[in-house]
């Protein structure tokens, strides 16, 4: 299947697969999408535990395998929370007892470091110039396909040194290294994006799909676009930060997909119903 088909891009799920994937199904049907891209972080929600984690993983596995069997192209990008299980190292919210199970799921579903759509690079957090200059070979250009190939080579290499290159975290996320493609904060990506590269990311919660134009060096023309898609993350008390919107990419055209357009229940109400069904009964 060509990679320029009508594509839905979905932000971080964080154990809310039961809630989010039904909305994805609605979008695929209403918008006639042929491809879905997930921006990473499939695990580790606030107050999650081993039971709720396993339930979410089972839902994700079944959904991806069934939709792929039905002919839908499904791409899953690695998130920083997911990488902690591959590294077998505790991070924010990591359930260390599930190192093996999550790692196996990532392999089974062919989770990658990056994909492209409509000429844009899709990663979890974005490629900054300072990280790319240090960790990538930019002699062949900075087009999205070239960068995606190099990022996936680092993940496929599988050795700790290459995985840790992807998992570098800068000051914006409490680290002391360069802001890498799994950890770069929105502020770090906006201040220092890889020039000339359109990027679509999750990772930093936003109120709605957020499109930014990064200024060119002359301060006049637009050098590239950054699109932030993490609209489904929650606060520590499980209140929605964003509106649950998704991104539609159709050729070079991108736009927000809202609850109203899909005819689904409002995101805030859906989160409350999910919380009372899948979270509160497991607390305490």
């Amino acid at each position: 299947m060509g990679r320029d088909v009508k594509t839905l891009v979905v932000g971080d799920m964080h154990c809310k697969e039961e809630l989010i994937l039904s909305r994805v199904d609605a979008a695929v049907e209403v918008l006639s999408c042929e491809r879905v891209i997930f921006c990473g972080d499939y695990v580790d929600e606030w107050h999650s535990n081993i039971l709720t984690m396993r339930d979410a993983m089972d839902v994700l596995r079944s959904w991806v395998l069934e939709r792929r069997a039905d002919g839908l192209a499904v791409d899953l990008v690695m998130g920083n929370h997911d990488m902690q299980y591959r590294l077998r190292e505790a991070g924010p919210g990591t359930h260390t007892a599930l190192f093996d199970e999550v790692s196996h799921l990532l392999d089974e579903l062919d989770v990658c470091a990056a994909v492209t759509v409509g000429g844009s690079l899709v990663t979890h957090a974005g490629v900054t110039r300072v990280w790319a200059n240090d960790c990538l070979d930019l002699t062949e250009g900075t087009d999205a396909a070239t960068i995606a190939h190099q990022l996936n080579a680092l993940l496929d290499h599988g050795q700790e040194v290459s995985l840790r290159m992807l998992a570098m975290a800068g000051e914006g996320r409490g680290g002391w290294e360069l802001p890498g493609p799994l950890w770069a904060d929105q502020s770090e990506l906006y201040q220092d994006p890889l020039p000339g590269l359109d990027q679509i990311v999750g990772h930093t919660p936003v109120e709605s799909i957020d499109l930014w134009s990064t200024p060119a060096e002359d301060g006049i023309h637009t050098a590239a676009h950054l699109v932030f898609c993490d609209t489904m993350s929650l606060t520590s008390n499980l209140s929605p930060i964003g509106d649950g919107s998704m991104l539609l990419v159709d050729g070079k055209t991108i736009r927000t997909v809202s609850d109203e357009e899909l005819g689904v229940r409002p995101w805030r109400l859906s989160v409350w119903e999910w919380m009372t069904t899948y979270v509160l009964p497991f607390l305490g």
Side-chain angles (χ1 to χ4, degrees):
M1 177 181 293
R3 309 314 283 170
D4 289 329
V5 298
K6 189 179 290 188
T7 301
L8 185 74
V9 183
V10 183
D12 308 17
M13 288 199 284
H14 286 298
C15 289
K16 297 186 292 298
E17 279 81 349
E18 187 75 31
L19 167 61
I20 293 171
L21 292 176
S22 61
R23 303 167 77 85
V24 173
D25 282 335
V28 168
E29 180 177 356
V30 170
L31 303 172
S32 300
C33 297
E34 299 176 76
R35 183 187 183 196
V36 178
I37 300 172
F38 294 98
C39 291
D41 278 0
Y42 311 102
V43 296
D44 301 345
E45 181 56 273
W46 295 103
H47 311 297
S48 61
N49 55 44
I50 291 178
L51 290 177
T52 57
M53 277 274 289
R54 282 178 170 152
D55 285 345
M57 290 161 57
D58 287 343
V59 170
L60 179 63
R61 176 188 290 108
S62 297
W63 188 93
V64 172
L65 296 179
E66 289 172 6
R67 297 304 177 275
R68 284 174 174 169
D70 290 338
L72 182 68
V74 180
D75 293 303
L76 298 96
V77 169
M78 180 82 73
N80 61 296
H81 282 262
D82 314 315
M83 178 61 84
Q84 297 305 129
Y85 292 86
R86 179 64 58 82
L87 289 171
R88 301 184 65 82
E89 183 174 287
T94 306
H95 297 278
T96 58
L98 298 179
F99 278 153
D100 291 339
E101 293 177 50
V102 175
S103 294
H104 176 74
L105 179 63
L106 298 175
D107 289 337
E108 182 181 4
L109 299 184
D110 296 320
V111 175
C112 61
V115 297
T116 62
V117 62
S120 296
L121 179 74
V122 184
T123 61
H124 180 60
V127 177
T128 60
R129 172 171 15 196
V130 64
W131 183 88
N133 285 339
D134 192 72
C135 298
L136 299 180
D137 178 5
L138 302 178
T139 58
E140 298 180 6
T142 56
D143 64 287
T146 299
I147 300 303
H149 176 76
Q150 293 190 38
L151 293 172
N152 287 325
L154 286 174
L155 182 62
D156 293 343
H157 187 259
Q159 298 299 313
E160 184 172 345
V161 62
S162 62
L163 297 182
R164 290 196 178 280
M165 288 172 68
L166 291 171
M168 287 182 176
E171 293 182 4
R173 286 303 179 108
W176 58 87
E177 302 170 304
L178 303 176
L182 299 186
W183 274 100
D185 189 68
Q186 183 185 61
S187 61
E188 293 171 320
L189 181 61
Y190 182 69
Q191 291 168 9
D192 187 34
L194 188 59
L197 184 66
D198 290 341
Q199 300 195 58
I200 299 171
V201 302
H203 186 54
T204 299
V206 291
E207 293 183 359
S208 188
I209 297 293
D210 199 3
L211 171 62
W212 292 17
S213 296
T214 60
E217 292 184 1
D218 61 14
I220 300 175
H221 300 96
T222 298
H225 294 103
L226 304 175
V227 186
F228 298 90
C229 297
D230 182 7
T231 67
M232 299 174 178
S233 288
L234 309 179
T235 65
S236 59
N237 65 2
L238 301 182
S239 296
I241 297 171
D243 61 5
S245 54
M246 295 176 278
L247 181 73
L248 181 68
V249 182
D250 190 2
K252 295 293 183 179
T253 301
I254 61 174
R255 68 174 179 86
T256 298
V257 178
S258 67
D259 295 347
E260 292 79 10
E261 179 179 1
L262 299 179
V264 297
R265 294 175 75 80
W267 174 245
R268 288 187 174 275
L269 179 58
S270 297
V271 169
W272 171 255
E273 293 173 345
W274 167 82
M275 180 177 65
T276 58
T277 303
Y278 293 98
V279 180
L280 295 182
F282 297 94
L283 294 180

